[in-house]
Amino acid sequence: IAVSALSMRAYGQNDTRQQSGPASPAVAASCPPVQQFKPAQIHGTWRARFTPAPAGLPADATLQLQRHAEFSESVAGFAIRELAPTAGKPAQGGHAARAQLAGDLEDGHLTLDESSNGISITGAWNGKMVEGTCGRKITGTWKDMSSSAPPDAPDVPFTLERLSGW
């Protein structure tokens, strides 16, 4: 019985078919408060949905988060976007199809800097883990910080939903 329970629990943690809405009261009660989540607990693959889509960029992206190579209590990874082909240019509107990410998770708040060239910041992610989702959902805003962004670029709402990982 214990082996069955363990395998079902492991399956449930990585089941990408789970609904992303609020957890049932029983599941929400068993989730730790968002302030207790550690950076390692958000490692994995996430789907980002922007509402509305950022100017010149798609409404969806995939984030891959992992342990930061230099700072073990931080996260790093990549944001991957399907960009429309441009005439031999590696980036669209100052953004690359694959951008580097680095940031922190503290007290349930996620901050990520995005860089399309590995040098300058081209986007800023600021989010908060959604209470009762057991670390499977983060909402917040993204801001275009690229050289092609207007000075008054708006904050664009996003939702991150876990696809796989811890």
Side-chain angles (χ1 to χ4, degrees):
I1 293 173
V3 172
S4 264
L6 182 59
S7 67
M8 288 306 291
R9 179 182 168 130
Y11 175 77
Q13 285 180 346
N14 292 315
D15 184 3
T16 61
R17 295 172 293 148
Q18 290 180 352
Q19 294 184 358
S20 61
S24 71
V27 171
S30 67
C31 295
V34 296
Q35 296 82 1
Q36 292 180 3
F37 278 83
K38 302 294 181 199
Q41 293 172 291
I42 65 167
H43 293 174
T45 305
W46 296 78
R47 176 180 43 234
R49 290 206 168 127
F50 297 95
T51 311
L57 295 173
D60 295 323
T62 301
L63 273 60
Q64 181 66 45
L65 299 177
Q66 58 199 24
R67 181 182 176 272
H68 193 286
E70 294 179 47
F71 307 106
S72 63
E73 291 299 314
S74 295
V75 295
F78 298 94
I80 302 163
R81 296 181 176 92
E82 294 287 331
L83 298 181
T86 56
K89 295 181 183 176
Q92 179 174 326
H95 296 279
R98 181 177 166 111
Q100 297 174 355
L101 298 171
D104 295 296
L105 176 68
E106 293 180 10
D107 295 325
H109 293 275
L110 176 67
T111 56
L112 294 170
D113 290 334
E114 177 180 328
S115 178
S116 290
N117 62 12
I119 299 168
S120 59
I121 295 174
T122 54
W125 300 74
N126 290 295
K128 178 157 178 39
M129 298 182 84
V130 176
E131 200 71 61
T133 63
C134 298
R136 297 187 62 80
K137 190 172 188 178
I138 299 171
T139 59
T141 57
W142 178 86
K143 187 166 188 77
D144 189 347
M145 308 286 287
S146 69
S147 59
S148 64
D152 59 346
D155 289 343
V156 180
F158 71 79
T159 299
L160 292 179
E161 294 176 321
R162 180 184 298 281
L163 296 177
S164 69
W166 182 86

